Amino acid sequence: MADPMIGRPFAMPMIKPFIPKKVQPWLYLLCAVIFQMVNTVYMGSMQQMVGDLGIMREDVSFIFLCGVVGVAMPFPILFRLKFRYTNRQLELFSISGMIICILLTLALVNFTDVALTLPLMCLLSYCCCFFKLMATFEVFSNIQLWMTPKRHFEIFFPLLYIVVLGDMSASSWMSQQLTYYCGSWQATQWFIVGVLLLVLLFMYTCTQPFRFMKPLPFISIDWLGLALWSAFLLELIWLFNYGEHYNWWDSELWLNVLGAVIVTFYFALQRMRHIHHAYLDYRAFKYKTLWPILFMFGVAELMNSTSTSLESVYTGAIMHWGMMTLSIQNIVAIIGSMTGCLFCLWWMKMLRLPYTRLLTIGFGFLLVYQVCMYFYITPTLNFERLIFPTFIRTFGYAIFFTTLTLYLEELMPFQHFFMGLTIAGFVRNGLVSAIGGGLYGFSLRRHIADNLVSGLPFTVFDSMLMAIKQLYGVTCLIGCAFMLLLMLWHVQPVRSTLKRLPYWNTIGRAMRKELGKE
């Protein structure tokens, strides 16, 4: 095996020698699992936060979505950070940043001025998750050759997303358990701070400075471009997250934010077109295959958003299931995500079948979930019957998510691939989820009102139940149309085998050459 940095036998020279070599990559993998569970707020304890802080559900959702955007934005500068600072420096800085952001969020809870604390909590959520991705990338970039000795993306990405997608459900389950048994939603944050302090201690005592090449100057970073694109994405999410609360076009505040979206997008676009080192290179948007991939990401996220927009209303407002009952769904979701990623790995490496067919398989499972829920929506449903739909939804989403990322890497050169991940993050990291939540919330209200005035003997309970069922039916029809499109449009990969991960020093030399030209 070759080292991911310098071509020697696999080793982790950034870790001090007294740590056994066989244990070193497992310790870094454990750190990645911990990092992916970090956040300033957790959706699993939303009800407790709403009651304790006196804020709205939309406020908690937006704070959380700010963190989701923070995860999407750092990709274009990750290698610049890696080639400028050592692994030890980046990890100590990122972990310290996460701890500070969480502690400041907890300190803001004691303030009564909601108009001031909410924007600060949104900013801290964004920064915390920005640091989270920096730390996670630095971990995986040092163990990726341990994960795939021959540098295959079709091995690396499924294993990577086992951690990423699995931790999404694991963090919600953890917050529900700690909130219930400790009696406070802040227990999760304090627990995470304690774990991060242990990781910080490990990094401080067990790692050492190591460079595999001369450091690149940390210049020509378009920080204003980063701020503009982040603001544009957050403003769009705000529109759909708060749209139902402010009654959309009838709100002056909503219209002002809509105007701000247009202005922000204009300046971000003009800056991208007119400076040499834009945060997002305009050439990254010109790949013809990028737009179909973004469209498929959008459809998958829209189909997946019914679990939070419709199913949560059904389980909460109609069935009145408690937090600990619903936490079982998160355990099923963890199993479904891990199984879906392993299925991708088995399909591509063991069976060696065309990986693009996985798109149809993954979306098929997402569609089966919608069909199951359409028939399951009754006032007498047993909770156990939701286990199967939850499993197939997360199983299909993991397949679709992993395969689309592989397809994105296949059809974009490595020079623009990480920018492509940020562009894809515009769709998959919060925006479409917020759009789906806003549209389903608006449609749910309209359908409930229509059912009440239809002349049929419907109560509010019956109208809500029927409205959820109707929206699941519409989603099934949309899913069937898209499924037919996937079956008719048989996409073939450009190559019979996927590209391999380039060596880090090769990427570093290319960046040094590019900076030297300036």
Side-chain angles (χ1 to χ4, degrees):
M1 291 188 294
D3 185 80
M5 303 173 186
I6 52 180
R8 297 174 182 172
F10 175 73
M12 300 182 67
M14 71 289 301
I15 298 182
K16 293 182 179 179
F18 67 85
I19 302 293
K21 290 185 178 181
K22 291 185 178 180
V23 179
Q24 292 175 0
W26 288 105
L27 289 174
Y28 260 44
L29 182 61
L30 178 61
C31 291
V33 173
I34 294 171
F35 295 152
Q36 283 299 303
M37 298 183 75
V38 173
N39 213 324
T40 57
V41 299
Y42 293 87
M43 297 300 287
S45 56
M46 173 187 284
Q47 296 293 346
Q48 288 69 28
M49 290 189 65
V50 170
D52 189 22
L53 301 179
I55 57 179
M56 301 183 298
R57 292 174 59 91
E58 290 84 358
D59 295 328
V60 180
S61 297
F62 187 69
I63 295 171
F64 178 80
L65 289 172
C66 287
V68 176
V69 173
V71 171
M73 297 309 298
F75 285 107
I77 63 170
L78 290 177
F79 278 110
R80 294 297 306 276
L81 290 167
K82 184 176 184 63
F83 298 146
R84 175 62 181 86
Y85 302 101
T86 65
N87 173 258
R88 175 184 170 87
Q89 290 173 326
L90 287 174
E91 293 292 357
L92 292 177
F93 175 76
S94 300
I95 298 169
S96 300
M98 286 186 278
I99 293 173
I100 292 172
C101 288
I102 297 174
L103 291 178
L104 288 176
T105 301
L106 292 173
L108 288 173
V109 172
N110 299 320
F111 289 88
T112 58
D113 188 359
V114 178
L116 176 63
T117 57
L118 280 180
L120 291 176
M121 291 176 75
C122 291
L123 179 61
L124 290 172
S125 178
Y126 176 91
C127 294
C128 179
C129 291
F130 197 99
F131 293 138
K132 175 172 75 172
L133 187 69
M134 287 171 51
T136 304
F137 171 79
E138 191 57 29
V139 164
F140 276 110
S141 66
N142 285 289
I143 64 172
Q144 55 91 17
L145 196 61
W146 171 69
M147 298 166 64
T148 166
K150 295 185 179 180
R151 315 178 74 81
H152 289 305
F153 272 113
E154 61 265 41
I155 297 177
F156 179 70
F157 277 128
L159 296 178
L160 170 67
Y161 285 125
I162 285 177
V163 176
V164 174
L165 297 179
D167 272 8
M168 288 172 60
S169 301
S171 59
S172 293
W173 178 84
M174 176 188 66
S175 65
Q176 289 168 335
Q177 299 296 316
L178 290 174
T179 300
Y180 180 80
Y181 287 108
C182 298
S184 172
W185 62 269
Q186 301 177 48
T188 309
Q189 281 80 350
W190 286 114
F191 174 76
I192 286 295
V193 167
V195 175
L196 286 177
L197 286 173
L198 293 177
V199 177
L200 185 65
L201 180 63
F202 164 75
M203 291 294 176
Y204 185 78
T205 58
C206 299
T207 61
Q208 57 190 357
F210 170 77
R211 294 188 182 277
F212 61 93
M213 60 178 292
K214 293 178 62 177
L216 289 177
F218 198 58
I219 56 175
S220 301
I221 304 296
D222 182 19
W223 298 109
L224 180 57
L226 168 63
L228 287 172
W229 285 114
S230 299
F232 166 69
L233 191 55
L234 288 173
E235 289 164 358
L236 270 179
I237 291 174
W238 191 96
L239 288 177
F240 290 94
N241 184 69
Y242 286 95
E244 188 64 15
H245 173 73
Y246 287 108
N247 202 19
W248 302 93
W249 300 96
D250 294 334
S251 169
E252 183 179 353
L253 176 61
W254 194 90
L255 292 175
N256 290 336
V257 176
L258 178 61
V261 168
I262 299 172
V263 173
T264 305
F265 178 69
Y266 172 79
F267 281 107
L269 194 63
Q270 291 301 315
R271 184 168 181 82
M272 179 183 68
R273 294 177 57 189
H274 292 97
I275 70 170
H276 180 62
H277 267 294
Y279 193 77
L280 294 178
D281 194 334
Y282 72 94
R283 292 173 294 178
F285 289 89
K286 291 188 174 182
Y287 296 97
K288 294 181 180 179
T289 52
L290 175 65
W291 299 103
I293 292 174
L294 294 181
F295 174 70
M296 287 188 282
F297 266 126
V299 174
E301 291 292 337
L302 185 64
M303 297 285 284
N304 193 57
S305 68
T306 56
S307 63
T308 55
S309 303
L310 298 180
E311 184 183 330
S312 61
V313 176
Y314 171 70
T315 58
I318 295 179
M319 302 306 294
H320 301 292
W321 287 327
M323 178 176 63
M324 295 303 290
T325 301
L326 295 176
S327 68
I328 300 174
Q329 283 187 294
N330 286 317
I331 298 177
V332 178
I334 295 170
I335 298 173
S337 299
M338 296 177 65
T339 307
C341 293
L342 291 175
F343 180 83
C344 290
L345 187 62
W346 174 73
W347 178 278
M348 290 181 289
K349 294 307 295 180
M350 301 298 293
L351 300 182
R352 298 186 181 277
L353 294 174
Y355 67 93
T356 47
R357 292 180 187 173
L358 282 170
L359 291 175
T360 306
I361 296 173
F363 189 81
F365 280 102
L366 284 175
L367 180 57
V368 171
Y369 163 77
Q370 313 297 331
V371 175
C372 286
M373 292 304 298
Y374 176 79
F375 289 105
Y376 280 1
I377 296 297
T378 61
T380 58
L381 180 70
N382 293 326
F383 176 77
E384 290 75 12
R385 297 189 67 183
L386 284 183
I387 292 177
F388 175 70
T390 301
F391 176 81
I392 61 173
R393 175 180 60 83
T394 52
F395 181 83
Y397 182 73
I399 293 175
F400 205 81
F401 194 94
T402 304
T403 307
L404 277 181
T405 306
L406 283 165
Y407 201 67
L408 182 69
E409 189 281 330
E410 177 67 13
L411 297 174
M412 294 186 74
F414 199 84
Q415 175 189 3
H416 293 140
F417 171 58
F418 275 68
M419 291 185 182
L421 289 178
T422 293
I423 296 170
F426 286 4
V427 175
R428 69 187 185 188
N429 284 54
L431 178 58
V432 176
S433 178
I435 292 174
L439 293 179
Y440 279 121
F442 174 77
S443 301
L444 189 63
R445 176 168 58 87
R446 294 293 299 271
H447 277 74
I448 292 174
D450 289 343
N451 292 334
L452 287 174
V453 301
S454 63
L456 297 174
F458 282 158
T459 64
V460 175
F461 177 88
D462 296 329
S463 299
M464 184 179 296
L465 190 70
M466 184 59 66
I468 295 174
K469 195 177 186 70
Q470 289 169 336
L471 290 177
Y472 266 116
V474 172
T475 307
C476 288
L477 294 177
I478 296 174
C480 288
F482 186 74
M483 186 72 175
L484 180 62
L485 179 64
L486 283 178
M487 295 173 68
L488 293 176
W489 182 42
H490 183 64
V491 185
Q492 289 289 347
V494 178
R495 303 174 183 83
S496 59
T497 57
L498 281 169
K499 294 179 289 187
R500 297 185 180 183
L501 285 163
Y503 287 98
W504 296 157
N505 55 350
T506 303
I507 302 172
R509 285 196 298 267
M511 286 188 173
R512 187 181 296 277
K513 184 178 180 181
E514 180 69 19
L515 290 173
K517 291 180 179 179
E518 300 176 17

